[in-house]
Amino acid sequence: MKHTRSLSGLALVAAGALALSGCAGSEPTASTADEMITIGISQIVQHQALDDAREGFKQAFADAGYVEGTDIEFDEQNAQGEQATASTIAAKFAADKVDLVLAIATPTAQAAAQTIIDIPVLFTAVTEPEEAGLVESWEKPGSNISGTSDLNPVKEQLELIQEILPDTQSVGIIYSSGEVNSDVQVELAKEAAKDLGLTIKEATVTNSSEVAQATVSLGDVDAIYIPTDNRVTEGLEAVIQYSESNQIPLFGAENGQVERGAIATYGISYTDLGYQTGQMAIRILEDGENPGDMPVETLDTIEFILNPAAAERMGVTLTEELIAKADRIIE
């Protein structure tokens, strides 16, 4: 069963937490089809969620009648997790005078916002754009930037852990100390934990090579939860291996983590999120909309994703009732 959520409510909760710490479109219009459109895409690292967002974005253009290599081209760049590289990519797009920039994840969006001032910029897979300094507000971004947020239902995700593991008392969270999006989610988790009677234990990393060591440092916890953190997700296999070897159940914050080996989540489709961002881009390019006047958007549905095989490998028995509730089962 898909769950509908309040988008504005999630945004307000995220801001408050930090204070405490596809349908086809028409053919391209004549004004855009007469010459090649170039879109620069900057992605902080390669992992499934961000890859899905990128492909969803491009699919929106294909469904609107654009043909890659004929009337549109995508200059796709990957920063390999390096902020300095993200800044270099942003400077390249500015010098090339591309028609629009897509920044995938918070670090690349921050690099683009700091460097590009006269080209439309859209972001996706950014959790809290206002706190990250990308927009003046969710409703009125200002400047030349807007996009889509992947803010996820952290409290519901922790409640799901308790539903699957009723005796859970402690949850370990591994996240990047330098990612604003992760700070938001950890603060949300801490606030939710107070109401749920859970103890949160934190371990931080600065790059994906530290994920294995951070996981071990959590020590004796009842479950591990991974937020939508780019560096930890990049090194997720280390957490999965540890969880299986030590029979500590692992839960994710996004669908791709469950597909790779976490047990479950209430998550969003990053393909759909990227697609929605592509639709925003088309409105900018075809209709002349100003990104600064376009409210930040989120998806209004979440899915219950379940991986029974991962649960079995981590010593967790899933009830038939729970399996029947899942929107999608990972085989």
Side-chain angles (χ1 to χ4, degrees):
M1 58 181 176
K2 291 190 178 181
H3 306 263
T4 301
R5 62 180 181 177
S6 169
L7 308 184
S8 58
L10 278 173
L12 290 173
V13 168
L18 266 191
L20 291 168
S21 53
C23 59
S26 60
E27 293 295 318
T29 62
S31 61
T32 58
D34 288 342
E35 58 186 50
M36 181 76 77
I37 291 173
T38 301
I39 294 181
I41 299 179
S42 179
Q43 184 170 323
I44 187 60
V45 292
Q46 182 176 359
H47 65 67
Q48 185 172 340
L50 304 188
D51 293 347
D52 287 349
R54 182 189 68 239
E55 294 307 309
F57 178 84
K58 293 171 64 177
Q59 187 61 48
F61 280 91
D63 288 351
Y66 290 83
V67 178
E68 188 170 356
T70 299
D71 44 35
I72 192 168
E73 61 182 5
F74 300 97
D75 183 355
E76 301 179 39
Q77 302 289 331
N78 193 300
Q80 304 298 329
E82 298 294 333
Q83 187 68 40
T85 305
S87 297
T88 300
I89 292 169
K92 174 187 182 299
F93 290 158
D96 291 346
K97 299 188 184 300
V98 298
D99 296 292
L100 183 140
V101 171
L102 171 68
I104 305 176
T106 301
T108 48
Q110 290 173 321
Q114 292 166 3
T115 305
I116 301 169
I117 59 174
D118 56 357
I119 295 171
V121 175
L122 289 177
F123 54 77
T124 191
V126 169
T127 301
E128 225 306 345
E130 186 174 351
E131 194 63 37
L134 298 173
V135 298
E136 294 176 9
S137 71
W138 284 61
E139 288 300 315
K140 186 77 170 177
S143 188
N144 61 321
I145 188 168
S146 186
T148 57
S149 166
D150 63 354
L151 184 60
N152 60 86
V154 175
K155 185 174 183 179
E156 289 184 62
Q157 291 168 345
L158 293 182
E159 289 173 338
L160 178 61
I161 295 176
Q162 288 187 313
E163 181 179 359
I164 295 174
L165 304 170
D167 295 330
T168 299
Q169 295 182 336
S170 60
V171 177
I173 301 180
I174 310 165
Y175 67 101
S176 300
S177 55
E179 288 196 30
V180 174
N181 57 302
S182 298
D183 292 337
V184 170
Q185 292 169 85
V186 172
E187 291 303 322
L188 286 172
K190 289 178 179 178
E191 285 302 303
K194 294 176 183 177
D195 296 333
L196 300 175
L198 293 172
T199 298
I200 299 296
K201 186 171 182 180
E202 304 170 46
T204 61
V205 303
T206 59
N207 58 65
S208 60
S209 67
E210 298 174 356
V211 170
Q213 182 179 355
T215 306
V216 174
S217 75
L218 288 173
D220 186 19
V221 293
D222 296 319
I224 297 174
Y225 169 78
I226 304 298
T228 57
D229 183 289
N230 295 302
R231 289 176 176 84
V232 179
T233 301
E234 188 180 18
L236 186 64
E237 274 62 37
V239 189
I240 294 170
Q241 182 179 9
Y242 180 86
S243 293
E244 292 177 356
S245 298
N246 294 276
Q247 299 290 276
I248 301 176
L250 172 65
F251 295 84
E254 52 99 351
N255 300 357
Q257 294 168 345
V258 179
E259 292 171 0
R260 288 166 65 181
I263 293 175
T265 195
Y266 285 120
I268 66 170
S269 165
Y270 277 81
T271 301
D272 290 348
L273 190 70
Y275 192 97
Q276 188 167 325
T277 317
Q279 291 177 316
M280 293 177 71
I282 291 168
R283 284 155 47 198
I284 292 169
L285 295 169
E286 291 191 2
D287 302 332
E289 289 196 33
N290 178 9
D293 296 329
M294 302 170 74
V296 175
E297 298 183 8
T298 59
L299 292 178
D300 62 0
T301 58
I302 56 175
E303 294 180 310
F304 175 25
I305 311 297
L306 192 62
N307 188 330
E312 183 177 359
R313 290 192 294 270
M314 295 173 195
V316 176
T317 300
L318 302 175
T319 66
E320 290 300 322
E321 180 183 8
L322 187 72
I323 293 173
K325 286 170 56 178
D327 294 308
R328 183 155 60 96
I329 300 290
I330 305 301
E331 301 294 342

